[in-house]
Amino acid sequence: MTAAAEEVRARPGSKAVHAGRAPPIQVKGLVSAFDDRVIHQDLDLTVESGEVLGVVGGSGAGKSVLLNTIIGLKRPEGGVVKVFGEDINRLNERQMEQISQRWGVLFQNGALFSNLTVRENVAAPFFEHTTLSRGEVYELSDLKIALTGLPPHAGALKPSELSGGMRKRAALARALALDPELLFLDEPTSGLDPIGAGAFDALIRDLSESLGLTVFMITHDLDSLYAICDRVAVLADKKVVAAGPIAELKQSSHPWIQEYFNGPRGRVAAAGEAISQERAEALSQDASEQALTRPRGAS
């Protein structure tokens, strides 16, 4: 590990300093409202360490409001929101800054600075939160850009010069800049074609496994849910009405869940996942057979 990477790992609020056993996210009795309009009422949700949690719900169910409340952009009207065991609404400004460095956020539109290059966008968190030199910052920025699968020349481009998929990857590189433990994704595959969405799903799954990330992902994309989520939380009736693996949710009697997972689009997504699993099993079996039949000593 480079000296620059070591400083990022050892910064205040980093995983190396504050490894704990509390779930990354605990929400209890959450009440959210805008004036007289109640969005959430007595909402409970726990996200376990290392899991990829998908969050779904109908339009107006408050998915983005929930995300914004968890990361402190909206103060709840009631209930408790804990991140890494800390009640974020009881933290002072300095404590909030420290704990926020332990998570990264990919907003739906990417939220990249349009007048900065990709490299400068990714570098921004380093300049704001570390004392690294300019050379070290850009060295780490280039590593994050490569980590998300962007070609080296992409660092010199501005957001307007990127395709939709490349903008998503650039925004993801910035979200991962400070080596977060927790990653928030708001509709990460929105606006991408099926091939681009599938590639982005694979990237998120690979990164979550290789980096040990906990992922909180808002999505309406059934293919993404099947491809990368360990569990799915369903927002309806102003609360989380169910949370679990998709196979369990499909047995729910809740009308929205039935329509979502067992409706026409849900059945297509389930069939596609079954085909993908069959192909993966076939490839694995072929590889095993080739290993068994390979002459001893052959490489």
Side-chain angles (χ1 to χ4, degrees), residues 171-285:
L172 179 60
R174 189 178 64 183
L176 294 174
L178 298 179
D179 292 337
E181 302 160 64
L182 176 58
L183 180 63
F184 293 95
L185 306 173
D186 190 357
E187 298 285 4
T189 59
S190 176
L192 300 183
D193 61 72
I195 294 175
F200 201 83
D201 286 341
L203 174 63
I204 294 299
R205 171 53 76 181
D206 289 345
L207 290 175
S208 69
E209 292 177 349
S210 61
L211 302 178
L213 294 171
T214 301
V215 179
F216 178 102
M217 180 177 72
I218 295 172
T219 186
H220 68 278
D221 191 331
L222 280 156
D223 291 331
S224 294
L225 295 175
Y226 275 101
I228 66 175
C229 291
D230 300 303
R231 292 192 305 140
V232 177
V234 181
L235 268 61
D237 307 327
K238 302 179 182 179
K239 59 185 177 181
V240 174
V241 295
I246 293 177
E248 291 182 8
L249 295 179
K250 291 173 72 174
Q251 305 305 314
S252 171
S253 61
H254 193 281
W256 193 91
I257 297 176
Q258 278 294 314
E259 177 63 23
Y260 189 75
F261 287 107
N262 293 322
R265 293 184 66 187
R267 291 196 297 270
V268 170
E273 175 63 13
I275 292 172
S276 296
Q277 290 182 349
E278 289 176 0
R279 287 176 177 172
E281 290 172 0
L283 288 172
S284 178
Q285 183 175 353

Side-chain angles (χ1 to χ4, degrees), residues 97 101 111-113 115-132 134 137-138 140-142 144-145 170 173-175 177-178:
E97 180 183 357
Q101 291 178 47
L112 294 170
F113 299 113
N115 61 327
L116 301 181
T117 66
V118 170
R119 196 186 196 205
E120 291 167 337
N121 266 280
V122 178
F126 293 114
F127 285 126
E128 181 177 359
H129 297 294
T130 76
T131 58
L132 299 173
R134 181 171 295 271
V137 164
Y138 285 126
L140 286 172
S141 299
D142 291 341
K144 300 301 180 180
I145 291 169
R174 189 178 64 183
L178 298 179

Side-chain angles (χ1 to χ4, degrees), residues 25-26 42 52 137 147 158 272 296:
I25 299 172
Q26 290 177 295
D42 296 327
V52 178
V137 164
L147 184 67
K158 291 189 175 180
R296 184 173 298 177

